[in-house]
Amino acid sequence: MARLSGGDPSLLRRINSAVVLHALRGADSPTLTDLTRITGLSRPTVEGVVEGLFAEGLVVEATPDDSGAKRQGRPARRFRFRAEAGYLLGVEIGSHRVSALVSGLDGRVVGAGSREVSETLSADDRIEQVRLVIADVLKRTGVARSSLRAVGVGSPGIVEADGTVRLGTALPDWTGLALGEKLRRSFRCPVLVENDANAAAVAEHWKGAATESDDIVFVLAGLSPGAGSLIGGRLHRGFGGAAGEIGALHLLGRDVTPEHLLSTTDTPLDPLDEPAVAAVFAKAKEGDAGAQAAVERFIQRLVHDVAALVLALDPEIVVIGGWAAGLDGVLEPLRGELARYCLRPPRVALSLLGEAAVATGALRLALDHVEEQLFAVEATVTARR
């Protein structure tokens, strides 16, 4: 961003516009007097900004409230931010499910949809399922595709800035996939692709278990766990987008993979075979000794992987999501291990968003992109540098 300069009138107008728009979005049908008080700007400046926002279709005059007693004289004009001036899309692409959320420019969800898919689908077939879910959600909500301002996508794998999946072992044909390029063919607006754990971390910070914290770790727990983190309120991707890949920690001198740890036989589990994984935990609950030992091994590995990340980042809170978030006995062992190894153990909590976390974070990614355009004064949480 260029250095702020008092001699740059266009920048000053942009700042004033951002300040007024923030006030409009956060207030309940304010008057010009209200906006002048909230922003600290002069009334002529506020009037000029509001007229400009009118012309852009971002502000309209609010409908007068006739519910109260009638007052003498002409009531003051009131205004509101037009959340319906554009729409945003948040998409999750998973191994067994694809989903989509639609919101207005205020981030409030107006429609949602999902579809179960097979873990064996090819990349092209999976993307086609994504397109079908999106088309269905847009049709049911009455949102025109042309009104979309940005699309956020959460995907497994290490994702580059242009949306290419540099490494994605969780889905067939995913490594090297130009996912962003393929999806942009379906839209006239920007499409932003992010790693799924990163998207979920953003979601928990926005609407989930970590709304009061700026230093967080979100763990997408499974046989091949991943993690996303925010440091000082900003998403931390790492230099090449591979930050948080704790699923690879078993390569550091460990002979046994998580797939072997959770197996009750000599054959490793398939990380994408969720029924087989669920069966092991079900047997453990029923008292099967072999299954109980397997679950204990898996949980111990998971908490050690998370502890390694916590030691490096020192977050205020660790949020556990993914299918392992619902497993009995995950939180207490994790708290115990963190207390054992960390000078200041972080709080540990389960995800409040559950299976909606990735799509919600993708929606926030889209919202951040639009807010950068609307407010254009400071970088947002998910902005790529």
Side-chain angles (χ1 to χ4, degrees):
M1 183 187 303
R3 181 177 298 173
L4 298 181
S5 169
D8 183 352
S10 65
L11 179 58
L12 184 59
R13 283 195 299 271
R14 210 162 63 238
I15 293 172
N16 289 341
S17 179
V19 169
V20 173
L21 200 53
H22 266 297
L24 276 162
R25 200 169 66 164
D28 183 17
S29 302
T31 63
L32 286 176
T33 300
D34 294 331
L35 291 172
T36 299
R37 174 179 52 80
I38 294 169
T39 63
L41 299 172
S42 69
R43 188 180 180 94
T45 296
V46 171
E47 286 180 333
V49 169
V50 169
E51 290 304 316
L53 294 174
F54 255 102
E56 294 178 38
L58 292 172
V59 173
V60 292
E61 192 165 347
T63 304
D65 183 5
D66 297 327
S67 59
K70 292 185 178 180
R71 298 178 181 178
Q72 296 294 325
R74 183 179 179 183
R77 296 173 69 196
R78 293 184 174 274
F79 307 92
R80 70 171 180 86
F81 172 68
R82 286 191 70 233
E84 69 276 18
Y87 291 89
L88 309 167
L89 196 61
V91 178
E92 176 190 9
I93 303 177
S95 57
H96 295 91
R97 191 175 72 103
V98 295
S99 63
L101 300 174
V102 180
S103 82
L105 294 182
D106 55 1
R108 296 182 183 180
V109 174
V110 298
S114 64
R115 177 175 296 214
E116 298 298 319
V117 296
S118 170
E119 71 273 12
T120 62
L121 280 182
S122 68
D124 286 342
D125 288 343
R126 193 175 302 275
I127 291 172
E128 180 59 27
Q129 292 299 311
V130 171
R131 291 192 176 103
L132 291 174
V133 168
I134 292 172
D136 177 64
V137 172
L138 294 179
K139 181 179 180 180
R140 286 190 288 105
T141 55
V143 172
R145 189 175 294 260
S146 59
S147 67
L148 292 173
R149 293 286 192 97
V151 177
V153 180
S155 163
I158 298 173
V159 181
E160 297 182 350
D162 64 355
T164 299
V165 182
R166 181 152 56 91
L167 179 65
T169 59
L171 300 177
D173 310 325
W174 220 245
T175 296
L177 178 68
L179 181 59
E181 179 183 331
K182 286 180 176 291
L183 291 175
R184 289 184 191 105
R185 298 169 188 169
S186 300
F187 303 98
R188 299 177 183 174
C189 64
V191 175
L192 306 105
V193 184
E194 186 58 80
N195 166 266
D196 52 3
N198 285 351
V202 170
E204 293 292 339
H205 182 255
W206 183 30
K207 291 186 174 183
T211 57
E212 302 299 320
S213 304
D214 282 340
D215 292 271
I216 76 170
V217 164
F218 175 90
V219 179
L220 197 60
L223 280 186
S224 182
S229 58
L230 269 67
I231 299 175
R234 290 186 60 85
L235 183 61
H236 177 68
R237 296 180 174 90
F239 180 74
E245 291 295 325
I246 58 175
L249 285 175
H250 71 273
L251 300 174
L252 302 179
R254 292 175 173 176
D255 296 329
V256 183
T257 66
E259 294 90 323
H260 279 93
L261 287 173
L262 197 54
S263 174
T264 56
T265 68
D266 293 332
T267 303
L269 296 176
D270 183 339
L272 298 181
D273 190 351
E274 291 184 0
V277 172
V280 175
F281 286 96
K283 289 180 180 179
K285 288 184 178 181
E286 294 168 359
D288 183 281
Q292 288 176 339
V295 170
E296 176 65 24
R297 292 193 300 267
F298 168 77
I299 291 177
Q300 196 67 19
R301 173 66 62 83
L302 177 64
V303 298
H304 282 169
D305 289 348
V306 176
L309 191 57
V310 168
L311 284 169
L313 297 181
D314 185 30
E316 181 181 357
I317 183 173
V318 174
V319 182
I320 306 295
W323 60 260
L327 305 180
D328 293 338
V330 171
L331 293 191
E332 287 310 314
L334 180 55
R335 291 187 179 112
E337 288 296 295
L338 296 181
R340 177 184 175 189
Y341 292 114
C342 302
L343 181 64
R344 188 207 56 78
R347 291 187 292 117
V348 180
L350 289 178
S351 166
L352 293 182
L353 299 174
E355 64 180 12
V358 175
T360 301
L363 183 68
R364 179 71 236 190
L365 187 76
L367 179 59
D368 272 359
H369 180 81
V370 171
E371 286 186 345
E372 281 188 72
Q373 295 177 323
L374 294 180
F375 303 138
V377 177
E378 60 182 24
T380 51
V381 170
T382 56
R384 291 185 183 268
R385 294 180 178 178

